Amino acid sequence: MATKNAAPRFKNVSPLGALDVPALGRVIAAGEEFEIREDLVPLFAAQVGNFEPVNAEAQAAQAGALSSADDETDGEPGGGETEEVKGK
Protein backbone atom coordinates (compact mmCIF):
# COMPACT_ATOMS: atom_id res chain seq x y z
CA MET A 1 0.00 0.00 0.00
CA ALA A 2 1.54 3.30 -1.10
CA THR A 3 1.57 6.24 1.25
CA LYS A 4 1.36 9.88 0.26
CA ASN A 5 5.13 10.47 0.56
CA ALA A 6 6.38 7.00 -0.30
CA ALA A 7 9.94 6.73 -1.54
CA PRO A 8 10.34 5.64 -5.16
CA ARG A 9 10.82 1.86 -5.42
CA PHE A 10 12.49 0.04 -8.28
CA LYS A 11 13.19 -3.63 -9.01
CA ASN A 12 16.39 -5.07 -10.46
CA VAL A 13 15.34 -6.74 -13.73
CA SER A 14 18.81 -6.75 -15.29
CA PRO A 15 19.63 -9.78 -17.42
CA LEU A 16 23.05 -9.73 -15.72
CA GLY A 17 21.54 -10.61 -12.33
CA ALA A 18 22.92 -8.93 -9.22
CA LEU A 19 24.27 -5.43 -9.79
CA ASP A 20 26.82 -3.45 -7.80
CA VAL A 21 25.24 0.03 -7.63
CA PRO A 22 27.78 2.63 -6.46
CA ALA A 23 25.06 5.30 -6.09
CA LEU A 24 23.50 3.13 -3.37
CA GLY A 25 26.75 1.76 -1.97
CA ARG A 26 25.64 -1.87 -2.22
CA VAL A 27 24.79 -4.82 -4.44
CA ILE A 28 21.18 -5.17 -5.57
CA ALA A 29 20.24 -8.84 -5.97
CA ALA A 30 18.44 -10.10 -9.06
CA GLY A 31 14.71 -9.45 -8.63
CA GLU A 32 15.24 -7.34 -5.50
CA GLU A 33 12.97 -4.36 -4.88
CA PHE A 34 14.63 -1.34 -3.29
CA GLU A 35 13.91 2.26 -2.32
CA ILE A 36 15.93 5.23 -3.54
CA ARG A 37 16.25 8.92 -2.71
CA GLU A 38 14.37 11.41 -4.89
CA ASP A 39 17.61 12.82 -6.35
CA LEU A 40 18.56 9.39 -7.74
CA VAL A 41 15.27 8.78 -9.55
CA PRO A 42 16.46 9.96 -13.01
CA LEU A 43 19.47 7.62 -12.82
CA PHE A 44 17.32 4.52 -12.27
CA ALA A 45 14.30 5.62 -14.34
CA ALA A 46 16.43 6.00 -17.48
CA GLN A 47 17.81 2.44 -17.26
CA VAL A 48 14.72 0.56 -18.41
CA GLY A 49 16.66 -2.62 -19.20
CA ASN A 50 18.04 -2.84 -15.67
CA PHE A 51 15.43 -1.33 -13.35
CA GLU A 52 11.64 -1.48 -13.37
CA PRO A 53 9.48 0.96 -11.41
CA VAL A 54 7.49 -0.72 -8.64
CA ASN A 55 5.31 2.03 -7.15
CA ALA A 56 3.48 5.06 -8.52
CA GLU A 57 6.28 7.46 -7.53
CA ALA A 58 8.84 5.49 -9.53
CA GLN A 59 6.47 5.01 -12.48
CA ALA A 60 5.82 8.75 -12.71
CA ALA A 61 9.54 9.46 -12.50
CA GLN A 62 10.32 6.98 -15.27
CA ALA A 63 7.66 8.46 -17.55
CA GLY A 64 9.13 11.91 -16.93
CA ALA A 65 12.70 10.74 -17.56
CA LEU A 66 11.78 9.05 -20.84
CA SER A 67 9.79 12.08 -21.96
CA SER A 68 12.74 14.38 -21.20
CA ALA A 69 15.09 12.16 -23.18
CA ASP A 70 12.76 12.31 -26.20
CA ASP A 71 12.53 16.10 -25.91
CA GLU A 72 16.33 16.46 -25.92
CA THR A 73 16.74 14.59 -29.22
CA ASP A 74 13.41 15.47 -30.82
CA GLY A 75 12.80 11.71 -30.99
CA GLU A 76 15.55 11.21 -33.57
CA PRO A 77 18.86 9.37 -33.20
CA GLY A 78 21.92 11.56 -33.54
CA GLY A 79 20.70 14.46 -31.43
CA GLY A 80 17.77 15.51 -33.59
CA GLU A 81 19.66 16.46 -36.75
CA THR A 82 17.45 17.26 -39.70
CA GLU A 83 17.98 16.23 -43.30
CA GLU A 84 18.85 19.82 -44.17
CA VAL A 85 21.67 19.87 -41.62
CA LYS A 86 22.97 16.47 -42.73
CA GLY A 87 23.05 17.57 -46.37
CA LYS A 88 25.32 20.58 -45.79
Side-chain angles (χ1 to χ4, degrees), residues 36-57:
I36 61 170
R37 299 185 323 252
E38 289 289 330
D39 63 318
L40 296 176
V41 168
L43 174 71
F44 290 90
Q47 298 183 59
V48 296
N50 292 323
F51 304 107
E52 178 178 279
V54 173
N55 61 5
E57 292 77 13

Side-chain angles (χ1 to χ4, degrees), residues 1-10 33 38 41 45 52-64:
M1 177 167 84
T3 61
K4 193 172 203 174
N5 293 321
R9 291 184 62 82
F10 283 84
E33 292 184 11
E38 289 289 330
V41 168
E52 178 178 279
V54 173
N55 61 5
E57 292 77 13
Q59 290 170 348
Q62 185 173 56

Side-chain angles (χ1 to χ4, degrees), residues 10-14 17-19 28-34 50-51:
F10 283 84
K11 180 178 181 179
N12 175 2
V13 295
S14 171
L19 297 173
I28 304 298
E32 180 181 347
E33 292 184 11
F34 56 97
N50 292 323
F51 304 107

